[in-house]
Amino acid sequence: MTTLKAKLQEDLTTAIRERNELHSSTLRLTLAAITKEEVAGKEARVLSDEEVLKVIAKEAKKRREAAEAFAQGGRADQAARETAEGEFLDTYLPKQLTDDELGAIVAQAVDEARAAGAEGPRAMGAVMKIVSPKVAGLAEGGRVAAAVKKHLSQ
């Protein structure tokens, strides 16, 4: 078992002992998503810590999107719960890059792509290929794409 998955299970046990319903239900759903990912495909496998982080990030993103949908639907109580679950899951994720840090990485990648001959908005794919590995797990794809578009349009 990976160390991150073991930590999630230990935290679940602690949350159950402390009768923390929010944390225990969030961890149960996250562990279920990890197990689902492990048994998906032709044969079962154990996820690495990096893959577990991707599942946690996906679950946190689901919570943020659900909170937004509930808020638009006038369900403030449910939106607050989804937001709290998302914030709790964020504690397991690496610290996200600030806009300035992301901008610096994108600017460097745009310069590299231009040096390789990619110009204008059509260079988006080339720049994303350079940026994606550098910011994997540190910034959401939508934020990265927006930053790349902004830098290419300048």
Side-chain angles (χ1 to χ4, degrees):
M1 184 183 309
T2 62
T3 56
L4 183 56
K5 185 176 175 186
K7 179 172 177 15
L8 289 171
Q9 290 180 329
E10 289 170 16
D11 291 351
L12 173 60
T13 303
T14 304
I16 291 170
R17 278 194 196 122
E18 295 174 353
R19 300 190 193 290
N20 188 333
E21 196 275 329
L22 176 77
H23 290 181
S24 62
S25 67
T26 304
L27 288 170
R28 277 189 179 114
L29 288 171
T30 304
L31 286 166
I34 291 168
T35 302
K36 180 180 175 188
E37 192 69 29
E38 287 178 333
V39 298
K42 294 188 185 262
E43 63 181 63
R45 62 195 174 92
V46 176
L47 297 182
S48 67
D49 276 351
E50 189 175 296
E51 292 169 315
V52 171
L53 274 176
K54 286 181 184 177
V55 173
I56 294 171
K58 190 165 62 170
E59 290 296 308
K61 183 178 179 186
K62 280 184 196 176
R63 300 307 190 290
R64 283 191 294 276
E65 290 171 352
E68 199 174 292
F70 280 126
Q72 289 175 354
R75 302 268 319 269
D77 56 331
Q78 194 64 30
R81 179 174 172 90
E82 292 290 338
T83 301
E85 288 180 4
E87 289 170 355
F88 175 64
L89 287 175
D90 285 342
T91 62
Y92 292 98
L93 298 173
K95 184 179 164 288
Q96 296 290 299
L97 292 174
T98 64
D99 290 337
D100 292 338
E101 293 169 331
L102 180 60
I105 293 171
V106 168
Q108 180 185 3
V110 168
D111 291 341
E112 286 179 38
R114 285 190 176 140
E119 277 296 322
R122 283 181 247 155
M124 179 88 175
V127 174
M128 288 298 287
K129 281 182 186 174
I130 297 169
V131 172
S132 293
K134 293 179 182 178
V135 299
L138 302 174
E140 284 187 5
R143 262 185 74 206
V144 175
V148 169
K149 282 180 187 175
K150 179 181 167 192
H151 273 75
L152 287 176
S153 65
Q154 292 177 348

